Coordinates of all heavy atoms in Angstrom, one line a residue:
G1 N 53.7 -52.9 -55.7 CA 53.5 -51.8 -54.7 C 52.1 -51.5 -54.4 O 51.8 -51.3 -53.1
A2 N 51.3 -51.5 -55.3 CA 49.8 -51.1 -55.0 C 49.1 -52.3 -54.4 O 48.3 -52.0 -53.5 CB 49.1 -50.8 -56.4
G3 N 49.4 -53.5 -54.7 CA 48.7 -54.6 -54.2 C 49.2 -55.3 -53.0 O 48.5 -56.0 -52.3
L4 N 50.5 -55.2 -52.8 CA 51.2 -55.9 -51.7 C 52.0 -55.0 -50.8 O 52.5 -55.4 -49.8 CB 52.1 -57.0 -52.2 CG 51.3 -58.1 -53.0 CD1 52.3 -59.1 -53.5 CD2 50.3 -58.9 -52.1
G5 N 52.1 -53.7 -51.2 CA 52.8 -52.7 -50.4 C 54.3 -52.9 -50.3 O 54.9 -52.5 -49.3
V6 N 54.8 -53.6 -51.3 CA 56.3 -53.9 -51.3 C 57.0 -53.1 -52.5 O 56.5 -53.1 -53.5 CB 56.5 -55.4 -51.5 CG1 58.0 -55.7 -51.6 CG2 55.9 -56.1 -50.4
T7 N 58.0 -52.4 -52.1 CA 58.8 -51.6 -53.1 C 60.1 -52.3 -53.5 O 60.5 -53.3 -52.8 CB 59.1 -50.2 -52.5 OG1 60.1 -50.4 -51.5 CG2 57.9 -49.6 -51.9
P8 N 60.7 -51.8 -54.6 CA 61.9 -52.5 -55.0 C 63.1 -52.5 -53.9 O 64.0 -53.2 -54.0 CB 62.4 -51.7 -56.2 CG 61.1 -51.2 -56.8 CD 60.2 -50.9 -55.6
A9 N 62.9 -51.6 -52.9 CA 64.0 -51.5 -51.9 C 63.8 -52.6 -50.8 O 64.6 -52.9 -50.0 CB 63.9 -50.1 -51.2
D10 N 62.6 -53.3 -50.9 CA 62.3 -54.3 -49.9 C 63.1 -55.6 -50.3 O 63.0 -56.0 -51.5 CB 60.9 -54.5 -49.8 CG 60.4 -55.4 -48.7 OD1 60.9 -56.5 -48.6 OD2 59.7 -54.9 -47.8
P11 N 63.7 -56.4 -49.4 CA 64.4 -57.6 -49.7 C 63.4 -58.6 -50.4 O 63.8 -59.5 -51.1 CB 64.9 -58.1 -48.4 CG 65.0 -56.9 -47.6 CD 63.9 -56.0 -48.0
A12 N 62.1 -58.5 -50.1 CA 61.2 -59.5 -50.6 C 60.8 -59.2 -52.0 O 60.2 -60.1 -52.7 CB 59.9 -59.6 -49.8
F13 N 61.2 -58.1 -52.6 CA 60.7 -57.6 -53.9 C 61.1 -58.6 -55.0 O 60.3 -58.9 -55.8 CB 61.1 -56.2 -54.2 CG 60.6 -55.8 -55.5 CD1 59.3 -55.3 -55.7 CD2 61.4 -55.7 -56.6 CE1 58.9 -54.8 -56.9 CE2 61.0 -55.3 -57.9 CZ 59.7 -54.8 -58.0
P14 N 62.4 -58.9 -55.1 CA 62.8 -59.8 -56.3 C 61.9 -61.1 -56.4 O 61.5 -61.5 -57.5 CB 64.3 -60.1 -56.0 CG 64.7 -58.9 -55.2 CD 63.6 -58.6 -54.3
G15 N 61.7 -61.8 -55.3 CA 60.9 -63.0 -55.3 C 59.5 -62.7 -55.7 O 58.9 -63.5 -56.5
L16 N 58.9 -61.6 -55.2 CA 57.5 -61.3 -55.6 C 57.5 -60.9 -57.0 O 56.5 -61.2 -57.8 CB 57.0 -60.2 -54.7 CG 56.8 -60.5 -53.3 CD1 56.5 -59.2 -52.4 CD2 55.7 -61.5 -53.1
R17 N 58.5 -60.2 -57.5 CA 58.5 -59.8 -59.0 C 58.5 -61.0 -59.8 O 57.8 -61.1 -60.8 CB 59.7 -58.9 -59.2 CG 59.9 -58.5 -60.6 CD 61.3 -58.0 -60.9 NE 62.3 -59.0 -60.6 CZ 63.5 -58.7 -60.2 NH1 63.9 -57.4 -60.0 NH2 64.4 -59.7 -59.9
D18 N 59.4 -62.0 -59.5 CA 59.5 -63.2 -60.3 C 58.1 -64.0 -60.3 O 57.7 -64.4 -61.4 CB 60.5 -64.1 -59.8 CG 61.9 -63.5 -60.1 OD1 62.1 -62.5 -60.8 OD2 62.9 -64.0 -59.5
E19 N 57.5 -64.0 -59.1 CA 56.2 -64.7 -59.0 C 55.2 -63.9 -59.9 O 54.4 -64.6 -60.6 CB 55.7 -64.7 -57.6 CG 54.4 -65.4 -57.4 CD 53.9 -65.3 -55.9 OE1 54.8 -64.9 -55.0 OE2 52.8 -65.7 -55.6
F20 N 55.2 -62.6 -59.8 CA 54.2 -61.8 -60.6 C 54.4 -62.1 -62.1 O 53.4 -62.3 -62.8 CB 54.3 -60.3 -60.2 CG 53.5 -59.4 -61.1 CD1 52.2 -59.3 -60.8 CD2 54.0 -58.9 -62.3 CE1 51.4 -58.4 -61.6 CE2 53.2 -58.1 -63.1 CZ 51.9 -57.8 -62.8
L21 N 55.6 -62.0 -62.5 CA 55.9 -62.1 -63.9 C 55.5 -63.5 -64.5 O 55.0 -63.7 -65.6 CB 57.4 -61.9 -64.2 CG 57.9 -60.4 -64.0 CD1 59.4 -60.3 -64.2 CD2 57.1 -59.4 -64.8
D22 N 55.7 -64.6 -63.6 CA 55.3 -65.9 -64.0 C 53.8 -66.0 -64.1 O 53.3 -66.6 -65.0 CB 55.8 -66.9 -63.0 CG 57.3 -67.2 -63.2 OD1 57.9 -66.8 -64.2 OD2 57.9 -67.7 -62.2
E23 N 53.1 -65.4 -63.2 CA 51.6 -65.3 -63.2 C 51.2 -64.6 -64.5 O 50.2 -65.0 -65.1 CB 51.1 -64.6 -62.0 CG 51.1 -65.5 -60.7 CD 50.1 -66.6 -60.7 OE1 49.2 -66.6 -61.6 OE2 50.2 -67.6 -59.9
Y24 N 51.7 -63.5 -64.8 CA 51.4 -62.7 -65.9 C 51.6 -63.5 -67.2 O 50.7 -63.5 -68.1 CB 52.1 -61.4 -65.9 CG 51.7 -60.5 -67.1 CD1 50.4 -60.2 -67.4 CD2 52.8 -60.0 -67.9 CE1 50.1 -59.3 -68.4 CE2 52.4 -59.1 -68.9 CZ 51.1 -58.8 -69.2 OH 50.8 -57.9 -70.3
E25 N 52.7 -64.1 -67.4 CA 53.1 -64.8 -68.6 C 52.1 -66.0 -68.7 O 51.8 -66.4 -69.9 CB 54.5 -65.4 -68.4 CG 55.0 -66.0 -69.7 CD 56.5 -66.4 -69.7 OE1 56.9 -66.7 -68.6 OE2 57.1 -66.3 -70.7
A26 N 51.6 -66.6 -67.7 CA 50.7 -67.7 -67.8 C 49.4 -67.4 -68.3 O 48.7 -68.2 -68.9 CB 50.6 -68.4 -66.4
D27 N 49.0 -66.1 -68.2 CA 47.7 -65.7 -68.7 C 47.8 -64.3 -69.3 O 47.2 -63.3 -68.8 CB 46.6 -65.7 -67.6 CG 45.3 -66.1 -68.1 OD1 45.1 -66.2 -69.3 OD2 44.4 -66.4 -67.3
L28 N 48.6 -64.2 -70.4 CA 49.0 -62.9 -70.9 C 47.9 -62.1 -71.5 O 48.0 -60.9 -71.5 CB 50.1 -63.2 -71.9 CG 51.0 -62.0 -72.4 CD1 51.8 -61.4 -71.3 CD2 52.0 -62.5 -73.5
M29 N 46.9 -62.8 -72.2 CA 46.0 -62.1 -72.9 C 44.6 -62.7 -72.7 O 43.9 -63.0 -73.7 CB 46.3 -61.9 -74.4 CG 45.5 -60.8 -75.1 SD 46.1 -60.6 -76.7 CE 44.6 -59.9 -77.5
R30 N 44.1 -62.7 -71.5 CA 42.7 -63.1 -71.3 C 41.7 -62.0 -71.6 O 40.7 -62.2 -72.2 CB 42.6 -63.7 -69.8 CG 41.1 -64.0 -69.5 CD 40.9 -64.3 -68.0 NE 41.7 -65.6 -67.6 CZ 41.6 -66.1 -66.4 NH1 40.9 -65.5 -65.5 NH2 42.3 -67.1 -66.2
D31 N 42.1 -60.8 -71.1 CA 41.2 -59.7 -71.2 C 41.8 -58.4 -71.8 O 41.2 -57.4 -72.0 CB 40.6 -59.3 -69.8 CG 39.8 -60.4 -69.2 OD1 38.9 -60.9 -69.9 OD2 40.1 -60.8 -68.1
S32 N 43.1 -58.5 -72.2 CA 43.8 -57.3 -72.8 C 43.3 -57.1 -74.2 O 43.0 -58.1 -74.9 CB 45.3 -57.5 -72.9 OG 45.8 -57.6 -71.5
V33 N 43.0 -55.8 -74.6 CA 42.5 -55.5 -75.9 C 43.1 -54.2 -76.3 O 43.7 -53.4 -75.5 CB 40.9 -55.3 -75.9 CG1 40.2 -56.6 -75.5 CG2 40.6 -54.3 -74.8
L34 N 43.1 -53.9 -77.6 CA 43.4 -52.6 -78.2 C 42.4 -51.6 -77.6 O 41.2 -51.9 -77.5 CB 43.4 -52.6 -79.7 CG 44.4 -53.5 -80.4 CD1 44.3 -53.4 -81.9 CD2 45.9 -53.0 -80.0
F35 N 42.8 -50.4 -77.3 CA 41.9 -49.4 -76.9 C 41.0 -49.1 -78.1 O 41.3 -49.2 -79.2 CB 42.6 -48.1 -76.5 CG 43.2 -48.1 -75.1 CD1 44.5 -48.2 -74.9 CD2 42.3 -48.0 -74.1 CE1 45.0 -48.2 -73.7 CE2 42.8 -48.0 -72.8 CZ 44.2 -48.0 -72.6
P36 N 39.7 -48.7 -77.8 CA 38.8 -48.4 -78.9 C 39.4 -47.2 -79.7 O 39.9 -46.2 -79.2 CB 37.5 -47.8 -78.1 CG 37.6 -48.6 -76.8 CD 39.0 -48.7 -76.5
G37 N 39.4 -47.4 -81.0 CA 39.9 -46.4 -81.9 C 41.3 -46.6 -82.4 O 41.8 -46.0 -83.3
V38 N 42.0 -47.5 -81.7 CA 43.4 -47.8 -82.1 C 43.5 -48.5 -83.5 O 44.3 -48.1 -84.2 CB 44.2 -48.6 -81.0 CG1 45.5 -49.2 -81.5 CG2 44.5 -47.7 -79.8
A39 N 42.6 -49.5 -83.7 CA 42.7 -50.2 -85.0 C 42.4 -49.2 -86.1 O 43.1 -49.2 -87.2 CB 41.7 -51.3 -85.0

């Protein structure tokens, strides 16, 4: 929604969602970290 302006009500959303999830899975933890203080 924020990056492509497409909401779940849009017919294009399912395909974009699947593309996004595949992209995310391919690089799941390049820069993700625990917040400071969580450990």
Side-chain angles (χ1 to χ4, degrees):
L4 298 174
V6 176
T7 71
D10 193 297
F13 181 81
L16 292 172
R17 178 195 59 211
D18 291 346
E19 181 183 351
F20 174 84
L21 295 177
D22 287 343
E23 283 288 345
Y24 180 53
E25 187 174 34
D27 216 348
L28 193 63
M29 196 173 156
R30 176 186 295 184
D31 298 307
S32 293
V33 293
L34 295 178
F35 279 107
V38 164

